[in-house]
Amino acid sequence: MKRKLDFSKLGFGTGMIHAGQEPDPSYGALATPIYQTSTFCFDTAEEGGEIFSGERAGYAYTRGGNPTTTALEQKLSILEGGEAAIATASGMGAVGGALLAYAKAGDHILRGRCIYSCTEHVFRENLSKFNIEVTSADFSDLEAVAGGIKENTKLLYFESMSNPMMELSDIREISRIAHDRGIKVVVDNTFTPPPEIRPLSLGADLVVHSTTKYINGHGDAIGGAIIGAKEELDPIRSGITTKLLGTTPSPFNSYLVLRGMQTMELRMQRHCENGFAIASFLEGNPHVKRVYYPGLSSSPQHALAERMMKGNYGGILAFELKDGIRGMKAFDACKKLLNSFTIPSIAVSLGDPGTLVEHAASMTHGAVPAEEREREGITDALIRVSAGLEDKEDLLADFRAAFSVLD
């Protein structure tokens, strides 16, 4: 029998290639097969009863488990250094599962002030229907976090790097503040996946991801994940994601994400390299008011970025154009610039092979009330960039050409 690998002693790239993927026992297939089935058969009625009761390992119905998805979940747990993982049909399925695991009627959740707009919608519109109170705080300010905690606070929820303002949160210190008060910590790590940041190692209880983004890396599958300790995840799987929410991914999407993860280390290196190059170019551009990217030495959070990210500063950034360029309003200047790119595509999402650009105030955060956008710093002058895997010099040449229309 082949010796089992100890992933705690192996590098990140090795883990992403081999974790969860063994030759198929039926025919020896090297690539994990797609078990495209809704239900599974049993040899005997007794076997069926034992699998349903949990006395015997096995599969009964794909909403509750599937071999392709199990392989993905094993790889996801290695990705973040967790004991277990739950794959979901989307990133929002993961967010919903994590929130409902820890909060009930009468509880309070303290959330980051600047978060993904769909998550913000859940906090603003949905949780109040369950009598769950939600308030926000600036999670880049530890005093604001501590000051925002109430007697009935059960959960702190924030993004490792906020969307779209690229503000880092000190996960280790926030987790210490929370755990001293018996409060759980959930971190959305979509923007800064390993090898950039590992929230569990810094004290977080659960990590959620939209695997649609960097983890899949090819822009062709929707998915999500919740990662953490097995005892935390078992009740989420049994009662929330598979039943209340029904957010089990399709076997085919599990296969696509599983395949994408095998090249994750190499992809993330290129994303980080291109993100830093674009941010550096923008910092020196006369039409740019400010660049939001903690990898720049000029960033007020650069010291925290060095400590948490260890040189892997990511491939996503944002920048603001200056006011009154050629007499234009900020929104019109942004539109003119976006329409002038040839290599980047105008699209939301991130982590694709191709570079993506978008206008946050009218696209990803268009549904967020204007006054809240302004409080968070999401102005009409803000553009978000997801640096892709193209040749760096081609990207920089295209950015220079696009900005020339503003001269």
Side-chain angles (χ1 to χ4, degrees), residues 113-114 161-168 191 290-294 301 318 320 365 373 376-379 382 384:
R113 66 173 181 178
C114 189
M161 182 185 287
S162 69
N163 180 11
M165 303 306 296
M166 311 304 146
E167 288 181 330
L168 287 171
F191 271 33
R290 183 176 176 183
V291 181
Y292 298 89
Y293 186 74
Q301 290 195 308
E320 278 185 283
H365 289 71
R373 284 202 309 270
E376 295 169 358
I378 305 172
T379 69
L382 189 76
R384 194 185 75 182

Side-chain angles (χ1 to χ4, degrees), residues 11 39 52 73 87 113 144 171 179 181 185 203 207 226 243 261 275 304 373 400:
T39 194
F52 266 94
E73 290 173 342
R113 66 173 181 178
I171 299 171
H179 292 157
R181 296 162 174 80
V185 175
V207 176
I226 311 171
K243 293 182 176 65
M261 291 182 73
L304 178 60
R373 284 202 309 270
R400 284 191 288 269

Side-chain angles (χ1 to χ4, degrees), residues 193-271:
E196 294 176 42
I197 296 176
R198 286 188 172 87
L200 295 178
S201 70
L202 299 174
D205 295 289
L206 292 180
V207 176
V208 297
H209 278 280
S210 170
T211 60
T212 310
K213 314 301 195 296
Y214 286 116
I215 291 178
N216 175 49
H218 291 75
D220 55 8
I222 300 290
I226 311 171
I227 307 166
K230 187 177 183 300
E231 66 177 6
E232 303 275 3
L233 294 182
D234 282 348
I236 300 175
R237 185 193 302 276
S238 62
I240 299 175
T241 56
T242 62
K243 293 182 176 65
L244 177 63
L245 301 179
T247 54
T248 304
S250 75
F252 184 67
N253 276 16
S254 292
Y255 160 78
L256 289 175
V257 178
L258 190 67
R259 174 217 58 185
M261 291 182 73
Q262 292 185 302
T263 59
M264 192 171 173
E265 182 182 38
L266 296 176
R267 288 189 288 103
M268 293 310 299
Q269 289 174 3
R270 188 66 168 262
H271 283 302

